[in-house]
């Protein structure tokens, strides 16, 4: 065991030198703005112009049939317009593994722009073409784009970041998602593009970030881990690391990648079936499923859905509700930005516990406040609960689960893990969007107690099972989870075999110590 400890203590020292270089910062900006921003933008973009888009649906139907669209058909068409986005996200998540393994992380992001630019153009001309069907179809295509980007961008940035910046870089995609939501809310205001004439432009603007990414991303390197471990291109990986780190001494990270490669050669690339049945990854898989379900089933989309009506009940005029909504979006951006700076200082685990804990309390108090809304100051307590809930989600529940997927899985299993996590994320998102209206009708304010219970259960699980991964290499995290899975002895032996390949002094004492460790 001493051999392993000594080597591990030497290896991280070189990796700790990692800093935010201009190349690393630029690639994070291009990848997150070109992909993650679109996810957030399209989550929120159809909320403000809803009434004008429904009028367009009705007018187009009337011109075709000579009679107005009945309410049931309008409700069904709008439900499809809204719900097809997360459904497309689910399909996009299923495409992650095959695409990142075959095309690489950067290559997948470049191809993914097609799923944004084409529907952006079609939605932009839908009013002129007098077809609402194309909007509904394009929503599922743009959802595929979001499903791919929400998984590939964290993977891409996490794999190219030094371990001391991996958490912060992993939160950046979520930051741009919140920025996308805020920009859509601002542009969707009545005086800007949230009007009968402006909504097609509002929908079409999503193609601009994709076009910029298509132009700029080819100038940046592919993931060094993908190049070395999956393509066997050590020189390419070394060149990419030198550009990203800003210096030539990258051998410590190359060596760490070699060890990961050697440890996984016997396994090969993992399919979803293998991932779900492999004992050595049992608790990692359960953990990402719990965190992703908790993230979406905790009610974040329902909170946004319910926010406007709560603001109205608090006495905010109809014309000012949009400003309150934008203010909530601004809080979301500010707190997510804070998470970028504190995730490496406080760690992942404390942010997860704090985030879900705040959401749990917020839902519980919101239930009370909505039931006692006749008291004059209760609506303002409701607003406070919504803002507190958004803060909790932004600080931990939204950004950290993707970081944990990056860190809890090694290269061979990471794509499949993102497919599982992404599928759970989008199916849970779709489920909440589908059933929340019925929950609210049947249970009223008490529906938030369900979200409260889900947040509480997630907090308990994280406290008992999920380890802290801050400032640890992927192999160190793998050893921690191996103990949890009951496979530590096997993992320990596999890693020690890797160390025997490293030249050591041929002294009797050194050989004796190595034999003892093995």
């Amino acid at each position: 065991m001493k051999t392993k400890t000594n080597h591990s203590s030497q290896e991280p020292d070189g990796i700790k030198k990692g800093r935010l270089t201009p190349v690393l910062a630029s690639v994070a900006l291009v990848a997150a703005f070109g992909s993650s921003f679109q996810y957030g933008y399209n989550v929120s973009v159809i909320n403000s112009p809803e009434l004008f888009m429904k009028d367009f649906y009705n007018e187009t139907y009337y011109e075709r049939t000579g009679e107005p669209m009945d309410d049931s058909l309008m409700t069904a068409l709008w439900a499809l317009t809204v719900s097809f986005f997360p459904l497309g996200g689910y399909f996009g998540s299923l495409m992650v593994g095959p695409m990142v393994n075959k095309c690489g992380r950067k290559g997948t992001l470049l191809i993914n722009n097609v799923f944004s630019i084409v529907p952006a153009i079609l939605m932009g001309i839908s009013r002129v073409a007098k077809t609402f069907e194309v909007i509904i179809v394009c929503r599922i295509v743009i959802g595929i784009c979001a499903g791919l980007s929400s998984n590939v961008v964290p993977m891409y940035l996490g794999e190219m970041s030094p371990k001391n910046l991996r958490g912060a870089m992993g939160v950046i995609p979520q930051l741009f998602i919140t920025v996308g939501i805020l920009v859509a809310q601002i542009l969707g205001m009545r005086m800007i593009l949230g009007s009968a004439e402006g909504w097609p432009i509002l929908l079409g603007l999503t193609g601009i970030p994709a076009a910029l990414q298509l132009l700029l991303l080819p100038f940046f390197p592919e993931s060094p881990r993908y190049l070395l471990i999956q393509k066997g291109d050590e020189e390419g990986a070394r060149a990419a690391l030198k550009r990203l780190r800003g210096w030539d001494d990258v051998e410590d990270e190359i060596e760490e990648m070699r060890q990961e490669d050697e440890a996984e050669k016997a396994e090969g690339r993992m399919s979803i079936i293998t991932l779900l049945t492999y004992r050595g990854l049992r608790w990692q898989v359960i953990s990402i499923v719990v965190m992703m379900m908790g993230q979406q089933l905790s009610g974040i989309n329902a909170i946004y859905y319910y926010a406007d009506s709560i603001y109205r009940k608090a006495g905010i005029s109809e014309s000012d509700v949009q400003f309150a909504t934008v203010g909530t979006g601004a809080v979301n951006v500010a707190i997510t930005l804070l998470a970028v700076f504190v995730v490496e200082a406080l760690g992942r685990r404390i942010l997860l516990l704090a985030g879900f804990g705040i959401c749990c309390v917020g839902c519980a108090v919101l239930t009370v406040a909505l039931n006692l809304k006749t008291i004059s100051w209760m609506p303002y307590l409701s607003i406070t609960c919504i803002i507190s809930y958004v803060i909790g989600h932004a600080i931990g529940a939204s950004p950290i689960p993707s970081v944990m997927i990056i860190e809890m899985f090694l290269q061979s299993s990471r794509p499949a893990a993102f497919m599982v996590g992404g599928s759970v994320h989008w199916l849970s998102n779709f489920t909440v969007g589908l059933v929340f209206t019925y929950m609210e009708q049947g249970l009223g304010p008490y529906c938030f107690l369900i979200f409260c219970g889900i947040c509480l259960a997630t907090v308990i699980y994280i406290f008992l099972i999920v380890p802290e991964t801050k400032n640890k290499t992927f192999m160190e995290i793998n050893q921690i989870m191996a103990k949890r899975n009951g496979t530590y002895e096997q993992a320990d032996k596999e890693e020690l075999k890797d160390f025997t390949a490293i030249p050591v002094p041929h002294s009797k004492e050194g050989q004796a110590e190595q034999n003892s460790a093995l």
Side-chain angles (χ1 to χ4, degrees):
M1 294 297 292
K2 288 181 181 179
T3 306
K4 179 184 70 174
T5 304
N6 290 341
H7 186 82
S8 297
S9 64
Q10 291 170 2
E11 177 194 35
D13 291 339
I15 302 175
K16 284 181 181 178
K17 297 177 184 177
R19 55 189 174 83
L20 187 62
T21 60
V23 173
L24 184 57
S26 298
V27 71
L29 180 63
V30 170
F33 177 68
S35 295
S36 302
F37 176 89
Q38 292 186 73
Y39 171 13
Y41 186 87
N42 286 289
V43 163
S44 181
V45 71
I46 64 171
N47 292 340
S48 297
E50 175 182 350
L51 296 178
F52 302 109
M53 292 179 67
K54 285 182 175 179
D55 287 342
F56 166 69
Y57 285 20
N58 192 38
E59 290 168 6
T60 304
Y61 185 83
Y62 183 80
E63 289 179 7
R64 294 175 184 175
T65 65
E67 56 186 47
M69 187 182 294
D70 62 67
D71 291 342
S72 60
L73 180 57
M74 175 64 74
T75 301
L77 288 175
W78 189 251
L80 290 176
T81 304
V82 174
S83 61
F84 266 19
F85 178 71
L87 187 61
Y90 169 69
F91 293 140
S93 295
L94 296 180
M95 296 165 61
V96 169
M99 288 193 68
V100 297
N101 286 328
K102 186 175 181 62
C103 307
R105 282 60 167 152
K106 186 178 80 168
T108 300
L109 290 178
L110 290 172
I111 295 170
N112 193 34
N113 290 312
V114 175
F115 295 111
S116 175
I117 295 173
V118 172
I121 294 171
L122 294 176
M123 289 190 294
I125 64 173
S126 59
R127 188 166 180 264
V128 175
K130 297 184 182 301
T131 170
F132 57 80
E133 293 87 352
V134 73
I135 297 176
I136 298 173
V137 173
C138 285
R139 285 287 289 176
I140 199 168
V141 177
I142 207 82
I144 292 173
C145 173
L148 277 165
S149 65
S150 64
N151 291 286
V152 179
V153 176
M155 189 189 310
Y156 181 45
L157 298 184
E159 288 182 2
M160 65 171 49
S161 303
K163 69 171 189 174
N164 60 305
L165 294 177
R166 201 166 55 222
M169 296 294 284
V171 176
I172 284 177
Q174 181 61 35
L175 173 63
F176 275 82
I177 290 173
T178 63
V179 171
I181 292 173
L182 178 60
V183 169
Q185 290 170 338
I186 294 173
L187 294 179
M189 297 175 76
R190 297 289 184 267
M191 70 284 294
I192 305 179
L193 292 175
S195 61
E197 296 76 24
W199 67 261
I201 301 173
L202 187 66
L203 297 184
L205 288 177
T206 187
I208 294 178
L212 289 173
Q213 185 181 78
L214 196 59
L215 291 172
L216 298 175
L217 194 59
F219 295 100
F220 295 99
E222 177 59 272
S223 160
R225 287 183 174 274
Y226 170 77
L227 292 173
L228 191 149
I229 298 177
Q230 291 180 248
K231 301 298 288 184
D233 184 5
E234 184 171 319
E235 287 306 311
R238 184 176 283 106
L241 276 175
K242 288 178 180 179
R243 283 191 64 194
L244 291 166
R245 300 296 178 260
W247 54 61
D248 294 335
D249 184 13
V250 295
E251 292 308 311
D252 290 296
E253 287 189 82
I254 292 291
E255 180 57 37
E256 191 245 334
M257 291 180 201
R258 284 201 203 102
Q259 291 175 30
E260 184 177 337
D261 186 25
E262 288 296 323
E264 298 197 299
K265 275 183 178 177
E267 297 171 10
R269 292 179 192 166
M270 280 198 176
S271 66
I272 290 182
I273 300 300
T274 307
L275 182 77
L276 296 177
T277 56
Y278 181 52
R279 180 188 172 193
L281 294 174
R282 178 186 303 162
W283 283 106
Q284 288 96 313
V285 173
I286 295 173
S287 295
I288 65 167
V289 169
V290 169
M291 286 188 286
M292 284 299 184
M293 287 184 67
Q295 181 191 73
Q296 293 301 311
L297 298 182
S298 60
I300 181 62
N301 294 320
I303 288 288
Y304 275 116
Y305 175 86
Y306 210 65
D308 285 4
S309 63
I310 294 174
Y311 292 148
R312 293 187 190 100
K313 291 174 184 177
I316 298 176
S317 65
E318 185 67 33
S319 60
D320 289 338
V321 164
Q322 58 183 337
F323 295 103
T325 302
V326 169
T328 304
V331 170
N332 196 9
V333 172
I335 300 302
T336 308
L337 180 61
L338 176 64
V340 173
F341 292 101
V342 302
V343 65
E344 295 298 349
L346 299 180
R348 289 70 156 140
R349 195 167 181 268
I350 188 65
L351 292 184
L352 284 169
L353 292 171
F356 280 108
I358 292 171
C359 291
C360 178
V361 175
C363 286
V365 178
L366 181 60
T367 303
V368 175
L370 291 175
N371 275 291
L372 300 177
K373 60 185 178 183
T374 53
I375 301 175
S376 60
W377 53 270
M378 277 296 170
Y380 300 99
L381 179 60
S382 300
I383 294 174
T384 303
C385 289
I386 289 178
I387 294 175
S388 299
Y389 180 96
V390 168
I391 289 173
H393 229 273
I395 198 69
S398 285
I400 305 302
S402 292
V403 177
M404 298 301 289
I405 297 178
I406 298 169
E407 297 186 326
M408 294 175 74
F409 293 87
L410 299 180
Q411 196 77 11
S412 64
S413 55
R414 193 174 293 127
F418 267 101
M419 288 174 67
V420 171
S423 299
V424 171
H425 169 99
W426 287 103
L427 283 177
S428 300
N429 188 333
F430 178 74
T431 301
V432 172
L434 197 64
V435 306
F436 176 71
T437 301
Y438 301 101
M439 287 173 55
E440 197 274 326
Q441 290 174 354
L443 299 174
Y446 292 104
C447 67
F448 288 102
L449 287 180
I450 296 176
F451 301 136
C452 176
I454 291 172
C455 290
L456 179 60
T458 308
V459 167
I460 293 172
Y461 179 89
I462 292 170
F463 180 78
L464 295 176
I465 302 296
V466 177
E468 179 56 70
T469 59
K470 179 184 74 169
N471 210 30
K472 292 182 173 64
T473 67
F474 292 123
M475 290 300 294
E476 289 169 342
I477 297 167
N478 189 52
Q479 290 170 9
I480 293 172
M481 295 308 298
K483 293 180 182 179
R484 177 73 64 185
N485 292 316
T487 58
Y488 180 74
E489 291 297 327
Q490 179 183 356
D492 197 31
K493 289 178 181 178
E494 286 177 357
E495 188 188 357
L496 287 172
K497 288 177 183 178
D498 295 334
F499 289 116
T500 62
I502 301 170
V504 294
H506 294 287
S507 64
K508 293 182 179 180
E509 293 81 358
Q511 187 66 44
E513 184 179 358
Q514 189 177 60
N515 291 336
S516 175
L518 288 170

